Amino acid sequence: MDEPSKATEDQPTPRMLAWAKNSAAYRLAKRMMTERELADAIRRKARSKFEDISEAQLNALAETALAFGRSMKALDDQNYAEIRANSAARSGRSKRAIARKLAEKGVDRSIVEAVLVDADDFRSAVVYARKKAFGPFRRPDVEADDARWSKEIASFARQGFGFDLAKRVLDMEREEAEDILLGPA
């Protein structure tokens, strides 16, 4: 007698499945998400919404939400990674920082590597220097002493740029840096 009830405990109810689809649609309409982000969000919310939900039911709800997102063409880790990587590179993020952020979001390593093949760390470093008013973009009233130079190099390092690249950008003339920014992205 316990055997049939055990089978139903592992299967989500139709109400749970409908909720998973609606929740996925709502979340994906608000912002792009990776598959792992959506699955984690569905599991987290389902735990608080449904009493005594089993691990198997949680996994089934997450899989239902993922399948729904894929079928609606709203869930695509490759597309997500391309958009996020291009945006981050344009805003001055290094390949290393972009790869770390995408990995945190649950994007597969092979997708991250493929997306970052064409990323230009040099242009991103120049963009970062402009944002922070470093090197060629330093204000004329700011003295370029050893302490300032060390702080700027350290800032580049924290953002994932290598020493040689940071030194190259900091040693540029302003006109050269502006030409790089005006060139093709």
Side-chain angles (χ1 to χ4, degrees), residues 122 126 135-137 167-178 180:
F122 182 61
V126 174
F137 301 101
K167 184 178 179 322
R168 183 175 162 199
V169 170
L170 291 177
D171 292 341
M172 295 174 84
E173 294 296 322
R174 188 178 186 110
E175 295 78 31
E176 183 184 359
E178 288 175 348
I180 290 168

Side-chain angles (χ1 to χ4, degrees), residues 11-121:
Q11 297 300 316
T13 65
R15 178 175 162 257
M16 289 176 170
L17 293 172
W19 171 84
K21 288 178 183 177
N22 289 339
S23 184
Y26 174 77
R27 290 167 191 284
L28 292 171
K30 289 184 78 137
R31 70 179 185 93
M32 288 184 72
M33 300 178 94
T34 63
E35 290 186 5
R36 189 177 87 194
E37 285 180 307
L38 179 61
D40 289 349
I42 294 295
R43 283 187 188 100
R44 185 176 51 253
K45 187 66 177 176
R47 274 192 187 95
S48 66
K49 182 163 182 64
F50 301 108
E51 262 183 50
D52 301 325
I53 189 166
S54 72
E55 222 27 65
Q57 288 173 320
L58 286 173
N59 292 335
L61 291 179
E63 193 51 49
T64 298
L66 292 175
F68 178 77
R70 286 186 209 110
S71 72
M72 299 305 294
K73 306 276 190 254
L75 192 62
D76 181 2
D77 281 359
Q78 175 75 35
N79 192 31
Y80 177 91
E82 288 172 6
I83 290 169
R84 289 295 174 116
N86 290 336
S87 175
R90 282 192 311 272
S91 68
R93 299 273 194 286
S94 68
K95 282 184 180 184
R96 199 174 297 155
I98 296 168
R100 182 179 58 241
K101 190 66 167 177
L102 289 174
E104 286 174 8
K105 298 287 185 178
V107 178
D108 188 62
R109 179 185 301 260
S110 62
I111 293 173
V112 172
E113 289 171 359
V115 164
L116 292 178
V117 166
D118 295 330
D120 183 8
D121 255 0

Side-chain angles (χ1 to χ4, degrees), residues 146-179:
D146 286 344
R148 163 69 54 195
W149 191 83
S150 294
K151 283 182 178 183
E152 291 177 4
I153 287 285
S155 182
F156 273 98
R158 285 190 300 274
Q159 295 303 313
F161 295 108
F163 176 79
D164 292 336
L165 181 61
K167 184 178 179 322
R168 183 175 162 199
V169 170
L170 291 177
D171 292 341
M172 295 174 84
E173 294 296 322
R174 188 178 186 110
E175 295 78 31
E176 183 184 359
E178 288 175 348
D179 287 344

